C-alpha cells in the first residue's frame, strides 16, 4: 500500500472500497458533494444532504423537482425528510433543518446514496436510488427506536415540483404562478400542471402507508417567509392538508409512527414520472388516468421489494465495473481505476455536460467534441451504447465534413443557435470510431448509413463521414498550411476570430471578421495523430489507395508543423488573425500552452530529433505545479480581443492559466510514449482524486471525482477545484491510466500489453473482458523497470510480440506478461 | 367620506395620505409588497423588508445586485442591515433575521421606502431612495439609543452582487464562479467583475464612516449553508475581512457604534453604479479608476446632504402629481387619482413590463401594444417623455404598417425572436399619438421623420406611420371582412393560428397553418374607434380627402360588424381558423368575452339600435362579479388547440375567465358613454385598490396598486390577485376615471368637461395643468345627476358648450361647471 500517508486529513469523508462507497461524515462539506442516480433516461442529482433534483431525459424540458442553483442557503431544494420527536425536529439527511445530529453519514455509492442519522435515540436510514428501467426515485426510510421507551414520531416528507420546463419555471412567473394543479388519492400526491393542455405526463410522490396528513401548497407547508430549515407544519407537528391551486406546488406526506423500544419501521417513498398516450390521458373529465402510476407502485410497496430492486442495481454496477479491474501495489490507483473513474465515466455518458452542481441543466446540449472524447472512457463497459452515440453524433455532421458543435438530446438535431466551425470537432469522430472498433472488433459500424445534417434519408455510410472529417481539415488550411481554427479548437476560450468588445456577446457564437488566417497548432497535431488512425483504419478495411493518399496529407502536415510551429523549446499554440504567433517565447504573456505540446507529442512530431523530449521538458519547467499542469504561462493579465475569452478570466482560473485537468492526460500519455513511467505517474496522481484526500478543504469539490479545473499558481487559492463531475478529464485520465500507464491497449488485432509504470510496481494483476473473452493478466516487473520489452504467455504458452490476438480466443484465459 | 366602512380590516397596512405613503405594519405580508426606486434610467425594486435589486436601464443586462425569484424563504436577497446588541441581532428592515421586533413599519412613498424598527430600546430608521439624476441607491440608517445606558451596537450591511447579466448569472456557473473580482479602498467596496475585459462599468457600496471590518465573500460572511436569517459573521459579531476571488461576491460593512442614552447616529450608505470611458478605465495596472465613484460619494457624505436630496425627490414627485388633482366626496377616489394611480402610471412608464415581483427582469422588452396604451396614464405628467417614447415605438414599425411586438430598451430595435403579426398592435399608435396631441396641442410630432424597421435614414414622417397603421388593418381582412387576428390581438392568449400540441412551444411565437381566415371582432371595434380618431386627426391637419376616404373604410367596418359580429345579445369575439364563431351563445364554453363588448361599445357600434345597451347588460349578467368583470364565460374546461393559450389556464385564472383588470375600464368607459354613472362607478371600485383595504388577506398583492389579474369565480380563491404593478390596468383605470367619470377630457380644441359620476357627488374640485395654464375647476351637481348637460363659466364669464378652449388661456383660471 503506497501513499496511505496522504490520507491523514479526512476532514469531510473517506473511501469505503468494500462497498464501492464514499462516506461523507458531515452535512457541511465545502461545497455540496453530489452523486448521480439513474442509469437510463431518468436521472437525479443528489447532494450529501439530499439536495438536487430529478428529470426525465432532458433536465431543461422535463424536470420533475425544483432546485435553486447558487442559492442562500447553499444547496436549496431536495428530497427532505423531517423527523419530529416531541418538540424537537431534524432532517434525516443532515440538512436543511439545522438541528445538530448525534450521528450523521452520507454514503455515495454506485447509483445510490444512503443517509444515516440519529438523534435522541432515534436512528434513521434513507436509501435513495433509481431502479433499473424505472422512471422514479425511490427513497426508502427506516426509522429505529434505540431508546428504552415507546416513541411517537412524526415523519414529514417534502419535495417541490418544478413546472416541467426548468428555464421557464425560473423566469415566467406572470404565467407560472397561475397554472399549478394537483390531485390527491390515497397516499399518492399527483402533480399534473399543464396536463390538461399539451402535456401527456405527470409526476407523483407516494408512500406505502396510510397518511396522517399531507400538504401540496408550499407556503402552507413552510409558513410565511420561512426556509426549509423550519417549516411551520413540522414545527407544529401537524400537516395542513393543503391543496395547491397555482403558486408553488409541493408534495409532503405526514406519517405518525409508534415505535416500541428496539423497533424499526420502514417507509417506501416513490417519486415517479408517468407518460400516458393521448388516448388514455383521462380517467374521467379532468381526472387523470392514475393506473400507470398504480402499476408502478406495486413494484415498490414493500421494503423487501425495494431492497430487491437495490440489489439488482448493485449487480448491474458490479457487472459493468468488473469488465476491467486492476490490482497494483497502489490502493489509490486501484480505487480510481476499479471504481470511481469508471463510475464518473458512465456519468459523463449519461449526463454529458448537462446537469451538475455547476451545470444548471438549462444550458448545453450534447457536445460533439465532448461526447466523442467521452466514449474512450466507457466503451469497454457499454459498447452498444457507444455505437449508438457515435452514430447520433455522426448524423449531426454537415456534408462538408464540419459538425454542429452541439445537438439536443430530445431531438437529436444540431443546435442552430450554437452552429459549427469549431474546427477540431470533425477529427474527434475518428478517435471515437477507431477506438470503438479496436475495443469491439466491430467494423460494421463503418457501413451504417448515416444522414448528414438536413438530410431526410441517408445517402452515405459512416466511413464516408470519417473521410469528410479528415478532408475538412485539409480543405481548411491557413497561410502557413496549418489548419484554420474557426471559432475555436479544443480550447473554447481561444477565440481568434471574434474580436468582441461587447460584454453581452458570447465569445463562442459571435464571429466577426476574417476566418482564413488564424491557425491552430493543436488541430495540426490532432490531425497528424487521428489522421494516422484514419490511415490505419483504411488499411484495415482494404482501402489502400485512400490510405496512401491520406498519408501524404499527414506527412505534409507533419513537415509544416516542424517548419512553422516549433518555437525553439516548445510548440507554438496558434497564429492569430493577423498572422502573429501565440504561445511563443516572443509573447510577453501566454508564451507556452499545454495543448499543442500534448497533441504534437502524442502524434510523435519531432520524436526523432528531440523536439518531443524538449517540449515535455518545457511543460515540466513552465507549466507543472503541485496541483497539476497549467494550461498556459504566463497568465494573461489583460483582456485582448484578438485572443477572446481566454484573456477574460482572472489569472489562474479556467483557460487563463488554470489547471484545466482535461489536457493533463495528454502529457501523461506523451510521457509514457517516451518511457517516462515515473514522470507520467507523477502527473497522474496530482490530479487524480483518490490521491487528494489530504486536500479536501483546499480542493472544495468532491474528492472522489475529477473536476474540470483546479486553480493555477496565479490564482488566489492555487489548488482550489471547480466544475466537478462532468468533464472530459474522466475519460482521458482513465484512457491514459489503462492504455498507457498499465498499457492494456486494444488494437485492431487484439489486446496489446505495453506498460509504463512506476519501477516499484513489481506485480500487477488485471481482469479484462475483451471481445467475448475473459483475461486474467499478470504483469511481472522483476527488474523494477518503467517500461521496455514484454514477453508474453497465454495459458502457459509463449506468444510472439506483445499482442493477445483476439481471433484466437474465447472463454477464460490466463496471461503472463513480463517486463524485461 | 364614503366607503370608509370598507377599511375595518387593515391586517397588513394602511394609507397615510398626508405623506403620500402606504404604511405596512408587518414584515410578513401575504406576498412581498414592493415599491420602486428611481425616476430615470437607474431603478430599484424594494419590498417591505428591503428585498429586491437595482439595475441600470436594463434589468437583464445591467443588474447590480442579486435577487432570487420564487425563492425559499420567499423574497431572498436585498439591502440588509443587521443590528447586533450584545448577543441579540435583528434586521432593521424586519427581515431576513427572524428576531421578533418590538416595533416595525415600512412606509412606501413616492420613489422612496422607509423602514422603522425597534428592539431592546434601540430604534433604527432606514430611508432608501435613488436621488434624481443619480445612478445609486442611498440607504440612510439612523440608530437611536432609547435606553438609559450607553449601548455598544454592531451594524452589518449586506448586499450581494449580480455579475451584471442577470440571465447568465443564474445559469452559467461553470464560468461565473471563477470570474468575480473586487477592490477595497477605505470604506468603499468595489465590484469589478469583467471590468478587466469588456465592461466599462463597476459597482460600489460605501458608507460615510471608517469601517471596523468588511466582507466581500458570501460564504465567508454567511458561514456554511446558512441563510440570510443568521449570518455567521453577525452571530459572532466580527467581520472576517474576506476578499472575494471568484465564487459569489458581496459587500458588507461592519461598523461599531457607541451610543449614549438618547443619542442618535446616522450612517449614509451609497450603492452606486459607475461607467467610465475606455480611455479612463484604469488608475494603474489592474486598479480601477475610482475617481467617478469618489466624486459621487461627496454628494452623500453627510446626513444633511442626503436628506436634502430626499427633499428634492419629494418635490419632484409632488410637482408631477399635482398636475392633476381632485377633491371629490370620496377619499378613496381622491387617493387613487391624486396619488397611487398616477404613481403606478409613472412606474409603468419607467419599467414597462420588465421588473416586478412577477416579472423576472430577464424576459420581455418594451411592448408595442403595452407602451402605447401606457402613455394615456402619464402624458399629462411627462409629455416630452411620451413624445420620445411614441417616436421610439413608431421607429420599430415595419413598412407595411405592422409592428414588432416588442423592442429592446438598450438597442431600440425590434425584437426579432418575437417578431410581429399581433394585428391589434398598429392601431395603438393612433391612440397614443392622438391622445398626446390632445393633451399638448403639439401637432409637430406628426412631422417628425421616423425610420421604419431596417431603415438607416428616415424617409417618412410620423403621420405616415399612422396612415400605414390604419391601412394595415384594411389590407388584412378576412372572409367576413373583419380584421385578421394574426398571432393574437390584445388578448395574447387567444391564439387562433397556432395549433400547438408541443408543451415547449410558445403560443405567441409559434405560428403554423393558415392565417387568412381567423378574424378578430376586438380589432374590428378598435379599428372603428381609433380609425375615427385617425379621421379626426386628418381633419385637424387639413387632410380632408384622406379623412373622407378613411371614413368610408370605417363605415364599411361598422356595417360589417353589425352584420357579422352581433350574436343576438352581445358581440362575438372572433372567427377561428375554420371560420367558426368564438364568443357565441352557440359555443358550449367561452360564450361571451369582454373585449369585443368593450371595444364595440366604446366605438358606439349599434349605439342607436340598442346593441351597446344590450351588450353591456350581457356583460353585467354573465361576466360581472364582486371582484371585477371576468374576461369570458363559461371558462374553458379543456385545452383546445384551435384556441391556444387561453384554454391552457385552469378555469378562473388569467385569460381563461380570470378578472383581467386591464379591460374592465373599457366597460367603465362604455357605461359612462351611456350616462350610467352608478354602474361605471360600481365597476371602477371593484378593481381599484384604494377600495380593497378590507380584502388585504384575500387579495394577497399590494393593496395600493392595481394588479393585472384577479382570480375569477371559477378559481379556487375568487378575488385573489396576481401580477401587480406592471399592468395596463393602471393607465386605463386612470384614463377612465379622469376622462370619463370625472369627464375632464382633453380634446383638440382644449379641455372638455363632461362628468358621469355618482349622483351623490354634489361638488368636485379639480386642479388641472393643461397646455401651460392652470385651471381650478369646480363641478357642481346640485340636482344629484349622473351626467347630462353642462353650463360652464371661466373666471366668472359664461362659456358656450363644455370645452375650455386652450387657445384663449395662460396663467391661472377658475372654471365653474354645473351639471344641469
Amino acid at each position: 500500500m503506497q501513499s496511505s500517508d496522504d490520507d491523514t486529513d479526512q476532514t469531510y469523508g473517506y473511501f469505503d472500497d468494500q462497498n464501492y462507497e464514499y462516506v461523507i461524515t458531515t452535512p457541511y462539506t465545502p461545497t455540496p458533494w453530489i452523486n448521480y442516480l439513474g442509469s437510463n433516461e431518468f436521472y437525479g442529482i443528489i447532494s450529501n444532504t439530499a439536495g438536487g433534483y430529478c428529470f426525465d431525459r432532458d433536465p431543461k424540458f422535463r424536470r420533475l423537482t425544483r432546485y435553486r442553483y447558487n442559492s442562500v442557503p447553499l444547496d436549496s431544494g431536495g428530497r427532505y425528510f423531517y423527523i419530529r420527536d416531541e418538540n424537537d425536529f431534524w432532517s434525516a439527511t443532515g440538512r436543511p433543518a439545522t438541528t445538530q445530529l448525534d450521528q450523521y453519514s452520507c454514503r455515495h455509492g454506485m447509483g445510490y446514496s444512503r443517509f444515516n442519522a440519529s438523534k435522541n435515540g432515534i436512528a434513521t436510514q434513507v436509501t435513495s436510488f433509481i431502479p433499473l428501467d424505472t422512471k422514479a426515485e425511490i427513497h426508502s426510510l427506516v426509522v429505529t427506536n434505540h431508546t428504552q421507551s415507546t416513541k411517537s414520531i412524526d415523519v414529514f416528507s417534502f419535495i417541490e415540483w418544478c413546472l416541467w420546463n426548468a428555464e421557464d419555471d425560473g423566469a415566467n412567473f406572470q404565467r407560472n404562478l397561475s397554472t399549478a394543479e394537483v390531485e390527491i388519492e390515497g397516499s399518492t400526491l399527483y402533480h399534473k400542471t399543464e396536463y390538461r393542455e399539451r402535456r401527456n405526463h405527470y409526476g407523483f410522490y407516494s408512500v406505502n402507508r396510510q397518511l396522517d396528513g399531507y400538504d401540496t401548497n408550499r407556503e402552507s407547508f413552510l409558513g410565511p417567509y420561512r426556509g426549509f430549515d423550519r417549516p411551520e407544519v413540522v414545527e407544529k407537528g401537524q400537516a395542513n392538508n393543503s391543496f395547491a391551486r397555482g403558486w408553488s406546488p409541493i408534495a409532503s406526506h405526514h406519517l405518525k409512527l409508534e415505535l416500541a423500544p428496539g423497533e424499526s419501521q420502514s417507509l417506501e417513498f416513490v417519486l415517479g414520472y408517468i407518460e400516458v398516450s393521448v388516448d388514455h390521458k383521462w380517467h374521467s373529465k379532468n381526472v387523470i388516468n392514475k393506473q400507470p402510476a398504480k402499476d408502478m407502485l406495486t413494484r415498490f410497496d414493500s421494503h423487501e421489494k425495494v431492497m430487491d430492486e437495490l440489489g439488482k442495481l448493485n449487480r448491474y454496477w458490479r457487472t459493468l465495473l468488473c469488465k476491467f479491474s486492476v490490482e497494483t501495489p497502489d490502493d489509490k490507483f486501484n480505487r480510481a481505476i476499479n471504481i470511481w473513474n469508471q463510475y464518473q465515466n458512465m456519468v459523463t455518458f449519461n449526463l454529458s455536460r448537462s446537469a451538475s452542481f455547476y451545470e444548471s441543466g438549462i444550458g448545453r446540449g450534447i457536445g460533439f467534441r465532448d461526447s466523442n472524447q467521452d466514449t474512450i472512457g466507457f466503451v469497454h463497459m457499454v459498447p452498444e451504447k457507444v455505437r449508438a452515440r457515435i452514430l447520433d453524433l455522426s448524423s449531426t455532421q454537415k456534408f462538408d465534413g464540419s459538425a454542429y458543435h452541439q445537438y439536443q438530446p430530445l431531438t437529436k438535431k444540431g443546435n442552430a443557435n450554437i452552429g459549427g466551425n469549431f474546427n477540431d470537432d470533425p477529427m474527434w469522430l475518428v478517435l471515437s470510431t477507431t477506438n470503438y472498433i479496436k475495443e469491439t472488433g466491430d467494423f460494421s459500424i463503418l457501413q451504417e448509413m448515416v444522414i448528414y445534417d438536413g438530410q431526410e434519408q441517408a445517402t452515405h455510410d459512416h466511413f464516408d463521414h470519417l473521410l469528410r472529417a479528415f478532408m475538412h481539415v485539409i480543405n481548411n488550411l491557413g497561410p502557413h498550411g496549418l489548419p484554420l481554427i474557426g471559432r475555436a479548437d479544443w480550447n473554447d476560450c481561444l477565440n481568434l476570430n471574434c474580436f468582441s468588445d461587447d460584454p453581452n456577446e458570447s465569445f463562442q457564437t459571435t464571429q466577426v471578421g476574417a476566418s482564413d488566417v488564424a491557425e491552430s497548432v493543436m488541430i495540426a497535431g490532432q490531425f497528424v495523430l487521428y489522421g494516422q488512425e484514419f490511415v490505419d483504419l483504411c488499411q484495415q478495411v482494404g482501402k489502400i489507395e485512400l490510405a496512401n493518399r491520406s498519408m501524404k496529407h499527414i506527412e505534409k502536415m507533419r513537415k509544416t508543423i516542424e517548419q512553422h510551429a516549433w518555437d525553439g523549446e516548445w510548440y507554438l499554440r496558434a497564429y492569430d488573425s493577423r498572422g502573429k504567433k501565440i504561445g511563443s517565447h516572443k509573447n510577453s504573456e501566454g508564451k507556452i500552452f499545454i495543448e499543442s505540446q500534448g497533441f504534437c507529442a502524442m502524434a510523435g512530431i519531432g520524436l526523432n530529433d528531440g523536439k518531443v523530449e524538449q517540449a515535455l521538458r518545457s511543460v515540466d519547467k513552465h507549466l507543472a505545479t503541485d496541483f497539476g499542469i497549467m494550461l498556459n504561462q504566463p497568465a494573461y493579465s489583460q483582456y485582448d480581443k484578438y485572443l477572446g475569452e481566454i484573456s477574460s478570466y482572472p489569472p489562474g482560473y479556467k483557460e487563463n492559466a488554470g489547471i484545466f485537468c482535461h489536457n493533463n492526460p495528454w502529457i501523461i500519455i506523451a510521457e509514457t510514449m517516451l518511457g517516462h513511467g515515473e514522470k507520467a505517474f507523477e502527473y497522474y496522481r496530482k490530479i487524480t482524486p483518490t490521491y487528494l484526500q489530504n486536500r479536501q478543504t483546499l480542493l472544495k469539490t468532491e474528492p472522489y471525482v475529477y473536476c474540470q479545473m483546479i486553480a493555477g499558481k496565479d490564482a488566489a487559492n492555487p489548488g482550489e477545484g471547480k466544475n466537478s463531475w462532468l468533464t472530459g478529464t474522466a475519460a482521458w485520465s482513465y484512457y491514459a491510466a489503462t492504455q498507457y500507464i498499465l498499457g492494456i491497449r486494444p488494437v485492431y488485432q487484439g489486446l496489446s500489453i505495453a506498460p509504463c509504470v512506476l519501477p516499484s510496481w513489481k506485480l500487477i494483476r488485471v481482469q479484462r473482458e475483451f471481445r467475448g473473452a475473459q483475461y486474467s493478466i499478470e504483469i511481472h516487473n522483476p527488474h523494477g523497470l518503467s517500461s521496455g520489452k514484454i514477453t508474453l504467455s497465454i495459458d502457459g504458452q509463449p506468444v510472439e510480440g506483445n499482442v493477445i490476438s483476439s481471433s484466437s480466443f474465447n472463454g477464460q484465459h490466463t496471461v503472463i506478461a513480463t517486463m524485461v
Side-chain angles (χ1 to χ4, degrees), chain A:
Chain A
M1 280 215 17
Q2 282 174 289
S3 51
S4 60
D5 51 325
D6 287 342
D7 296 350
T8 44
D9 174 20
Q10 298 184 342
T11 313
Y12 300 100
Y14 60 88
F15 289 102
D16 174 353
D17 291 345
Q18 185 85 36
N19 292 302
Y20 290 34
E21 289 173 341
Y22 193 86
V23 187
I24 301 167
T25 51
T26 168
Y28 302 100
T29 43
T31 58
W33 286 0
I34 72 164
N35 191 17
Y36 288 87
L37 312 179
S39 49
N40 190 28
E41 292 201 343
F42 191 82
Y43 299 105
I45 84 173
I46 188 163
S47 77
N48 56 308
T49 56
Y53 57 96
C54 58
F55 59 93
D56 179 60
R57 283 168 295 167
D58 191 313
K60 177 173 174 178
F61 290 118
R62 288 285 187 287
R63 196 177 295 197
L64 260 74
T65 55
R66 213 172 250 167
Y67 184 68
R68 291 167 178 81
Y69 274 87
N70 198 14
S71 194
V72 173
L74 206 59
D75 195 27
S76 278
R79 313 77 171 166
Y80 296 148
F81 296 96
Y82 300 92
I83 311 296
R84 189 172 184 280
D85 169 31
E86 292 167 15
N87 290 319
D88 217 2
F89 67 88
W90 61 91
S91 284
T93 56
R95 280 190 58 238
T98 57
T99 310
Q100 174 88 38
L101 300 175
D102 298 334
Q103 276 193 314
Y104 160 89
S105 71
C106 162
R107 292 176 166 264
H108 283 327
M110 306 287 107
Y112 69 89
S113 293
R114 176 167 280 165
F115 306 87
N116 285 290
S118 82
K119 179 79 185 171
N120 300 356
I122 306 295
T124 57
Q125 183 177 76
V126 180
T127 307
S128 301
F129 68 106
I130 292 173
L132 296 175
D133 305 319
T134 304
K135 297 200 168 189
E137 284 188 357
I138 308 296
H139 303 283
S140 173
L141 169 65
V142 179
V143 187
T144 306
N145 176 9
H146 287 301
T147 72
Q148 301 305 311
S149 50
T150 296
K151 283 278 196 180
S152 295
I153 300 295
D154 291 281
V155 173
F156 296 89
S157 72
F158 176 89
I159 61 103
E160 183 175 2
W161 299 109
C162 180
L163 305 189
W164 304 116
N165 179 325
E167 188 176 47
D168 197 72
D169 187 68
N172 190 10
F173 306 105
Q174 67 88 26
R175 173 179 165 86
N176 292 342
L177 296 178
S178 286
T179 56
E181 293 187 289
V182 301
E183 284 187 32
I184 299 167
E185 190 183 289
S187 297
T188 309
L189 312 173
Y190 293 89
H191 175 229
K192 61 169 189 173
T193 300
E194 292 189 346
Y195 186 82
R196 74 188 279 287
E197 44 130 335
R198 298 173 294 177
R199 296 193 181 274
N200 61 350
H201 49 90
Y202 60 78
F204 66 90
Y205 197 29
S206 188
V207 62
N208 65 339
R209 183 188 286 232
Q210 202 178 325
L211 300 186
D212 294 292
Y214 60 83
D215 278 287
T216 63
N217 176 290
R218 188 184 72 200
E219 300 316 310
S220 177
F221 176 79
L222 291 176
Y225 298 89
R226 285 174 177 240
F228 294 126
D229 55 331
R230 49 178 201 112
E232 198 172 64
V233 154
V234 176
E235 207 171 83
K236 74 177 183 182
Q238 183 57 52
N240 286 329
N241 296 352
S242 60
F243 192 88
R245 294 177 174 96
W247 303 103
S248 290
I250 61 159
S252 172
H253 308 96
H254 177 197
L255 301 145
K256 291 177 178 292
L257 272 54
E258 190 87 4
L259 293 163
E263 186 185 356
S264 282
Q265 293 186 22
S266 64
L267 299 165
E268 313 305 323
F269 292 88
V270 182
L271 171 57
Y273 171 85
I274 294 291
E275 285 186 3
V276 245
S277 67
V278 173
D279 294 345
H280 297 90
K281 277 177 76 169
W282 301 102
H283 170 267
S284 53
K285 184 162 183 183
N286 289 332
V287 177
I288 64 175
N289 175 3
K290 302 183 182 66
Q291 199 53 50
K294 291 175 183 171
D295 291 346
M296 188 197 282
L297 286 170
T298 61
R299 290 179 50 209
F300 308 108
D301 59 6
S302 75
H303 191 60
E304 293 64 36
K305 287 184 185 177
V306 165
M307 288 301 112
D308 196 48
E309 289 287 346
L310 182 62
K312 284 184 203 166
L313 181 71
N314 287 340
R315 286 191 292 280
Y316 165 83
W317 274 106
R318 296 285 169 126
T319 305
L320 275 188
L321 299 183
C322 77
K323 293 188 178 187
F324 192 145
S325 65
V326 63
E327 197 186 325
T328 73
D330 185 341
D331 279 354
K332 295 184 174 60
F333 187 86
N334 304 345
R335 179 183 289 152
I337 299 305
N338 296 342
I339 308 174
W340 291 96
N341 196 348
Q342 285 198 104
Y343 182 56
Q344 185 175 4
N345 292 345
M346 282 306 298
V347 169
T348 66
F349 170 73
N350 292 334
L351 280 293
S352 187
R353 304 293 176 269
S354 65
S356 74
F357 182 67
Y358 305 88
E359 296 288 357
S360 56
I362 62 173
R364 297 196 253 178
I366 304 261
F368 191 91
R369 172 200 295 150
D370 296 334
S371 289
N372 273 304
Q373 290 176 80
D374 285 349
T375 63
I376 65 178
F378 47 75
V379 65
H380 66 289
M381 289 188 278
V382 287
E384 67 297 340
K385 289 185 178 181
V386 168
R387 191 181 201 272
R389 175 66 58 87
I390 289 172
L391 294 174
D392 281 347
L393 290 162
S394 183
S395 70
T396 64
Q397 200 183 12
K398 300 180 190 181
F399 203 67
D400 70 354
S402 68
Y404 272 102
H405 195 50
Q406 295 177 15
Y407 74 90
Q408 295 307 119
L410 278 182
T411 62
K412 299 195 173 171
K413 296 286 176 201
N415 184 332
N417 290 340
I418 290 152
N421 294 326
F422 294 77
N423 282 348
D424 65 315
D425 271 337
M427 289 304 286
W428 296 116
L429 194 61
V430 176
L431 167 65
S432 63
T433 303
T434 54
N435 193 63
Y436 166 78
I437 297 172
K438 288 178 188 174
E439 175 67 34
T440 59
D442 171 25
F443 284 90
S444 77
I445 190 174
L446 299 172
Q447 281 94 56
E448 288 285 347
M449 299 299 283
V450 183
I451 59 166
Y452 285 98
D453 173 64
Q455 286 189 325
E456 293 285 320
Q457 181 103 35
T459 52
H460 293 74
D461 64 14
H462 180 61
F463 182 85
D464 188 70
H465 284 246
L466 302 184
L467 173 57
R468 285 173 198 273
F470 182 89
M471 290 310 296
H472 185 265
V473 179
I474 292 305
N475 293 336
N476 290 276
L477 299 179
H480 298 91
L482 294 164
L484 291 171
I485 196 167
R487 291 187 195 278
D489 60 25
W490 172 86
N491 186 335
D492 262 325
C493 296
L494 188 64
N495 315 113
L496 304 182
N497 297 305
C498 180
F499 320 125
S500 175
D501 50 17
D502 176 350
N504 293 310
E505 278 177 355
S506 156
F507 287 105
Q508 270 89 65
T509 60
T510 306
Q511 190 157 7
V512 196
S515 63
D516 57 352
V517 174
E519 298 166 295
S520 163
V521 177
M522 180 263 156
I523 301 178
Q526 180 202 28
F527 176 75
V528 172
L529 181 61
Y530 300 137
Q532 182 67 57
E533 292 288 350
F534 179 70
V535 167
D536 292 351
L537 182 67
C538 289
Q539 285 167 341
Q540 290 293 324
V541 298
K543 296 181 191 285
I544 306 302
E545 174 78 27
L546 178 58
N548 292 341
R549 212 163 58 227
S550 303
M551 200 60 214
K552 286 188 185 130
H553 290 301
I554 295 167
E555 285 309 321
K556 191 169 171 202
M557 185 66 76
R558 189 183 288 273
K559 289 205 183 81
T560 304
I561 294 170
E562 290 179 355
Q563 193 177 344
H564 293 295
W566 180 250
D567 191 57
E569 295 184 28
W570 56 76
Y571 289 99
L572 294 176
R573 178 63 179 86
Y575 286 95
D576 76 9
S577 60
R578 301 160 301 181
K580 295 187 181 174
K581 291 176 179 176
I582 296 174
S584 164
H585 68 286
K586 291 178 180 163
N587 298 116
S588 60
E589 297 178 336
K591 289 171 185 285
I592 177 171
F593 282 72
I594 193 172
E595 303 100 314
S596 43
Q597 318 316 319
F599 266 90
C600 291
M602 288 195 293
I605 297 160
L607 187 64
N608 298 331
D609 64 4
K611 286 200 181 77
V612 168
E613 193 93 32
Q614 176 61 52
L616 294 180
R617 270 202 305 274
S618 296
V619 166
D620 195 33
K621 180 175 170 188
H622 300 291
L623 299 178
T625 75
D626 286 350
F627 305 115
I629 310 168
M630 296 177 292
L631 192 145
N632 60 305
Q633 275 293 304
Y636 292 108
S637 64
Q638 289 178 296
Y639 177 64
D640 181 345
K641 73 174 180 178
Y642 293 101
L643 296 169
E645 187 167 6
I646 188 170
S647 62
S648 81
Y649 282 105
Y653 292 99
K654 295 281 287 179
E655 283 85 347
N656 188 14
I659 296 157
F660 211 90
C661 303
H662 184 127
N663 50 41
N664 279 219
W666 302 346
I667 302 300
I668 294 168
I669 291 169
E671 293 286 1
T672 66
M673 291 170 68
L674 296 181
H676 299 162
E678 286 177 293
K679 197 74 200 167
F681 198 83
E682 178 191 327
Y683 289 144
Y684 175 78
R685 56 177 286 170
K686 280 179 178 175
I687 62 162
T688 295
T690 51
Y691 295 91
L692 309 183
Q693 297 311 298
N694 62 337
R695 265 198 241 151
Q696 295 179 352
T697 307
L698 172 62
L699 191 64
K700 285 199 171 81
T701 52
E702 297 90 335
Y704 39 91
V705 289
Y706 290 97
C707 53
Q708 178 214 54
M709 195 270 300
I710 295 172
K713 77 175 177 60
D714 304 286
N717 296 305
E720 182 185 75
K722 285 195 182 109
N723 306 344
S724 53
W725 274 106
L726 303 181
T727 163
T729 314
W732 272 104
S733 293
Y734 185 79
Y735 179 77
T738 56
Q739 299 206 18
Y740 290 88
I741 292 176
L742 292 176
I744 313 288
R745 190 179 317 155
V747 294
Y748 291 113
Q749 293 71 26
L751 204 55
S752 91
I753 316 262
C756 180
V757 295
L758 288 179
S760 58
W761 287 11
K762 297 295 173 60
L763 175 60
I764 301 166
R765 289 198 177 87
V766 173
Q767 293 292 326
R768 181 64 155 98
E769 199 177 302
F770 183 71
R771 301 190 195 172
Q774 180 68 42
Y775 298 98
S776 295
I777 303 168
E778 285 187 4
I779 300 173
H780 295 267
N781 183 13
H783 310 301
L785 304 174
S786 261
S787 61
K789 206 168 151 359
I790 285 286
T791 65
L792 205 63
S793 78
I794 303 181
D795 298 330
Q797 302 297 315
V799 169
E800 198 66 34
N802 70 334
V803 175
I804 307 165
S805 170
S806 66
S807 57
S808 329
F809 297 100
N810 285 302
Q812 299 221 338
H813 302 281
T814 304
V815 177
I816 309 288
T818 308
M819 297 169 71
V820 293

